[in-house]
């Protein structure tokens, strides 16, 4: 029986193990050799997806079995934020963002879409929503969800698809202490806003395009800039 190694190897995935969907030439045999030698291997990536899916993806690419416990992704450290797991949080991201948030421990979750359903006047970038809102006000007045529970923290797992709507709603929540249905007279007085927990601050990343692509860090930069502009102009 081969003796266990007294050291371990951590590898970044993008640009080290893979280039896009394909393994880098020397990476596959190197990882296979390390595993044959019983060297513990951990893979690190700024992507935000289920660790189990990333493990399956790496297993297929590398031709060896990679377990979810060997994968550390952008959201993985949030498992340690147990003080926030029982708070009512807004989760922003794409794809399986809600499922990912629950997997890392958050129990009470809402989304930008659900906030817009509770407060239909928030999303004015969508011109069709302007039409729907006008019809609502004409026929029944402005209707809010009276049972909406204020947001206690905002969890940003990755850039959303509709940046403009997410930026608007998140800033609304920051300026109203998590409840856009209650706009106090001192909202423009300096005070701490509800907490933002964000992963993956990479401004850009390398993809198939010739130039770098905007990442979650670009969204966070927009959010910070617009918050400052809105705060001092509000």
């Amino acid at each position: 029986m081969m003796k266990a190694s007294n050291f371990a190897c951590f590898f970044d995935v993008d640009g080290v193990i893979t280039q896009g969907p394909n393994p880098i030439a020397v990476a596959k045999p190197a990882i296979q050799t390390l595993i044959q030698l019983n060297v513990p291997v951990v893979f690190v990536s700024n992507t935000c997806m289920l660790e189990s899916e990333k493990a399956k993806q790496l297993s297929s690419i590398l031709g060896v079995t990679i377990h979810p416990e060997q994968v550390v992704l952008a959201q993985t450290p949030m498992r340690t934020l147990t003080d926030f797991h029982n708070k009512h949080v807004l989760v922003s991201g794409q794809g399986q963002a809600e499922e990912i948030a629950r997997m890392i421990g958050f129990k009470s979750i809402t989304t930008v879409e659900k906030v817009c359903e509770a407060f239909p006047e928030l999303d004015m970038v969508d011109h069709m929503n302007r039409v729907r809102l006008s019809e609502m006000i004409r026929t029944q007045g402005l209707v809010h969800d009276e049972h909406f529970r204020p947001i206690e923290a905002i969890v940003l797992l990755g850039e959303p698809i509709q940046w403009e709507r997410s930026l608007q709603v998140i800033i609304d929540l920051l300026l109203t202490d998590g409840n856009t249905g209650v706009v106090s007279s001192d909202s423009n007085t300096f005070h701490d806003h509800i907490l933002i927990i964000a992963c993956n601050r990479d401004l850009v990343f390398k993809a198939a395009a010739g130039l770098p692509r905007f990442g979650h860090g670009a969204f966070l930069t927009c959010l910070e800039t617009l918050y400052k502009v809105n705060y001092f102009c509000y």
Side-chain angles (χ1 to χ4, degrees), residues 88 90 110-111 114-119 122 144-151 173 176 178-181:
H88 188 216
L90 175 85
T110 194
T111 63
K114 291 176 183 176
V115 173
C116 287
E117 290 175 6
F119 302 97
L122 297 185
H144 288 162
D145 181 356
E146 296 179 357
H147 302 291
F148 179 80
R149 180 181 169 189
I151 301 298
L173 292 169
T176 58
N179 188 355
T180 63

Side-chain angles (χ1 to χ4, degrees), residues 45-52 54 71-81 85 96-97 99-101 103-106 155-158 197-200:
S45 174
N46 262 345
T47 190
C48 188
M49 60 190 297
L50 294 172
E51 287 98 339
S52 58
K54 191 65 174 180
V71 176
V72 178
L73 301 180
Q75 79 277 2
T76 305
M78 291 188 185
R79 293 179 183 274
T80 66
L81 302 178
H85 287 172
Q96 299 171 301
E99 183 179 355
I100 291 170
M103 288 287 290
I104 58 181
F106 294 100
V155 178
L156 305 179
L157 296 179
I197 305 169
C199 63
N200 184 5

Side-chain angles (χ1 to χ4, degrees), residues 147-166:
H147 302 291
F148 179 80
R149 180 181 169 189
I151 301 298
E152 298 174 275
I154 297 172
V155 178
L156 305 179
L157 296 179
E159 63 273 19
I161 295 175
Q162 294 179 302
W163 284 31
E164 68 286 346
R165 178 169 63 175
S166 294

Side-chain angles (χ1 to χ4, degrees), residues 13-24 206-208:
V13 175
D14 302 316
V16 177
I17 301 299
T18 62
Q19 184 71 52
N22 302 313
I24 291 175
K206 183 70 175 73

Side-chain angles (χ1 to χ4, degrees), residues 106-161:
F106 294 100
K107 299 177 178 64
S108 180
I109 294 169
T110 194
T111 63
V112 167
E113 291 75 19
K114 291 176 183 176
V115 173
C116 287
E117 290 175 6
F119 302 97
E121 74 276 18
L122 297 185
D123 184 10
M124 289 293 98
V125 175
D126 182 351
H127 287 200
M128 290 304 297
N129 189 56
R130 297 184 188 185
V131 175
R132 291 190 294 269
L133 181 65
S134 295
E135 180 63 16
M136 172 194 285
I137 294 174
R138 186 184 68 82
T139 58
Q140 55 185 315
L142 182 58
V143 179
H144 288 162
D145 181 356
E146 296 179 357
H147 302 291
F148 179 80
R149 180 181 169 189
I151 301 298
E152 298 174 275
I154 297 172
V155 178
L156 305 179
L157 296 179
E159 63 273 19
I161 295 175

